[in-house]
Amino acid sequence: MSDSELRAGGGLPASPSAPAEAPAEPRRQDDRPARDEPGPARARPGVSAPDAPSPGEADAPRRRRRGRAALWWTPVVVVLVAGLLAAGAALGDLRDRPPGESSVDVGFARDMSEHHAQAVQMAMIEFDRGGDTSTRSVAQDIALTQQREIGVMSAWLSGWGRAQSAAGAPMRWMGGTGAAAGGGHDAHGDTGSAAMADMAGMNGTVGGAASAGDTARMPGMATPNELRRLATIHGRDLDVLFLTLMVHHHRGGLAMAQYAAQHAGSDRTRSLAKAMVLNQSIEIDQMQEALARLGAPRA
């Protein structure tokens, strides 16, 4: 019997070098490695489980309820706010009502603007032709400061619906105290006449007292004759006359500013008047020192 026949009939034993393999059992369909088996999803750090609701989804009904409540309250809040704003505006109108024609605020703004205008005029003459550098610098500061204040007061008058000037005698808003408070320089009272006489005897450049018809419009203001004299001289003579006239001018302005600081109805009027009192008092001291430095008598 040939080898092939023996193998076919099962009579030939397996070769010792080829061990028999155990018959493989049928593999179940679900017999897979553990990593492939389905199971509950394990959440990774920082990743929500697919079926778990997010915090936003869980809070959605609550937010919707709050949104409906907010929509209901919004008209009420708007009405309340509008009412409060209207009430505040009404109170503001009462508080900021323009001052009357005869008020301290209006009178001060008009008369101080006129007073300042003459100071600016004199300061520009000194700045243009004065001989002392320090005095010319003082004149420049006066011109800039008082011109700015004129602009402020002019804006007030426009905002109040008042004219920039009024006919009649000035300073009626001071209750008749203006002329007496001016330090005597209007029509050259005792103080003004003494100072001018001393200067005339010293250098011969300052004229004597003004004539009866040559009077200043308000306390402290220079007379027309003094302004003409100021416009015709130069150098040191101009410095001395300018400083003397400006000290008197500031004193007259101080009387008005002090009154307005105490009696004006508006906070901003009182604040500006107080600033004028402070600034012009400092400038008076500076100009008196300049006169002494120039060898002239104090004003």
Side-chain angles (χ1 to χ4, degrees), residues 122-145 239 242-243 246 283 286-287 290 293:
M122 293 193 297
M124 293 308 299
I125 293 173
E126 166 64 25
F127 181 72
D128 183 47
R129 297 196 309 275
D132 181 60
T133 302
S134 177
T135 303
R136 293 178 64 219
S137 179
V138 170
Q140 182 183 34
D141 291 342
I142 291 173
L144 292 175
T145 300
D239 299 331
F242 165 76
L243 291 168
M246 190 59 73
E283 289 174 350
Q286 293 174 341
M287 290 186 289
R293 179 173 49 81

Side-chain angles (χ1 to χ4, degrees), residues 30 35 49 74 85 100 120 130 137 169 218 258 260 273 298:
D30 57 352
R35 64 176 178 272
T74 297
L85 291 175
V120 172
S137 179
M218 282 184 277
Q258 288 168 343
R298 293 170 64 88

